[in-house]
């Protein structure tokens, strides 16, 4: 499944358990190849993020982890989420102060996050052309971009159709 197909899946009916299992499996392979430990709490945190195509706040993740016996102190969730973000297995959605699973872990990419203002669904769309344009504009000013976070808010196809 290519990046465009995976991004569209967030807004279309699909076998979500298969989608999540495929991404989790790929993340495990990437972690193993890099010599990283996907501990039980890190793995479960990624599974929680993969359960829905929406962003979750750290305290939502912590509540789920606590219910499952992983502890109820904020560092439990924050450490797991930080690891997942640092390794490219999850992304932080700054506008929502929340996290979402990466739809293509281990792949170099410049995502744009499409956030539905009505239902909260989040899709990860390829944004290489946007990043290239931004790099060119910054370069004209002698500025070098180290990191970007592109987020767009609107209506997903289902919410747009219902409106």
């Amino acid at each position: 499944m290519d990046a465009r197909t995976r991004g569209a899946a967030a807004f279309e009916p699909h076998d979500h358990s298969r989608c999540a299992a495929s991404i989790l499996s790929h993340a495990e392979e990437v972690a193993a190849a890099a010599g990283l430990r996907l501990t039980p709490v890190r793995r479960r945190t990624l599974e929680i993020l993969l359960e829905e195509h929406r962003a979750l706040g750290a305290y939502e993740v912590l509540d789920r982890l606590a219910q499952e016996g992983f502890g109820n102190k904020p560092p439990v969730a924050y450490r797991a989420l930080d690891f997942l973000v640092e390794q490219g297995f999850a992304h932080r959605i700054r506008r929502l102060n929340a996290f979402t699973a990466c739809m293509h872990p281990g792949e170099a990419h410049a995502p744009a996050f499409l956030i539905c203002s009505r239902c909260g669904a989040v899709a990860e769309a390829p944004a290489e052309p946007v990043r290239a344009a931004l790099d060119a504009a910054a370069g004209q000013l002698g500025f070098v971009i180290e990191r970007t976070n592109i987020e767009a808010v609107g209506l997903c196809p289902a919410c747009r159709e219902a409106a």
Side-chain angles (χ1 to χ4, degrees):
M1 187 182 298
D2 67 14
R4 204 169 306 282
T5 305
R6 280 182 284 208
F11 297 141
E12 296 175 359
H14 64 285
D15 181 351
H16 189 71
S17 61
R18 185 170 161 227
C19 163
S22 171
I23 293 167
L24 180 62
S25 175
H26 186 66
E28 289 172 332
E29 290 171 15
V30 169
L36 302 171
R37 267 192 79 224
L38 204 54
T39 64
V41 72
R42 291 171 177 172
R43 184 181 200 288
R44 183 61 190 131
T45 299
L46 182 55
E47 288 172 342
I48 290 167
L49 293 177
L50 284 166
E51 288 174 0
E52 298 179 58
H53 286 289
R54 69 179 187 91
L56 299 173
Y59 281 90
E60 288 177 273
V61 172
L62 178 62
D63 288 345
R64 294 283 301 282
L65 291 171
Q67 290 171 14
E68 297 173 21
F70 287 102
N72 63 357
K73 303 288 188 225
V76 170
Y78 281 109
R79 284 185 193 130
L81 289 165
D82 286 346
F83 171 85
L84 295 175
V85 169
E86 287 169 13
Q87 301 310 319
F89 301 145
H91 298 288
R92 181 163 184 247
I93 307 294
R94 297 189 188 296
R95 175 172 178 70
L96 303 175
N97 194 24
F99 300 84
T100 188
C102 178
M103 294 294 104
H104 20 70
E107 297 175 22
H109 61 293
F113 301 102
L114 309 177
I115 305 162
C116 182
S117 60
R118 186 166 290 161
C119 71
V122 175
E124 184 178 331
E128 285 80 6
V130 174
R131 176 61 195 254
L134 193 54
D135 284 339
Q140 291 176 354
L141 302 174
F143 187 83
V144 175
I145 297 173
E146 295 176 350
R147 178 182 51 215
T148 61
N149 192 38
I150 302 168
E151 300 173 5
V153 177
L155 293 176
C156 71
C159 290
R160 193 180 77 234
E161 192 174 294

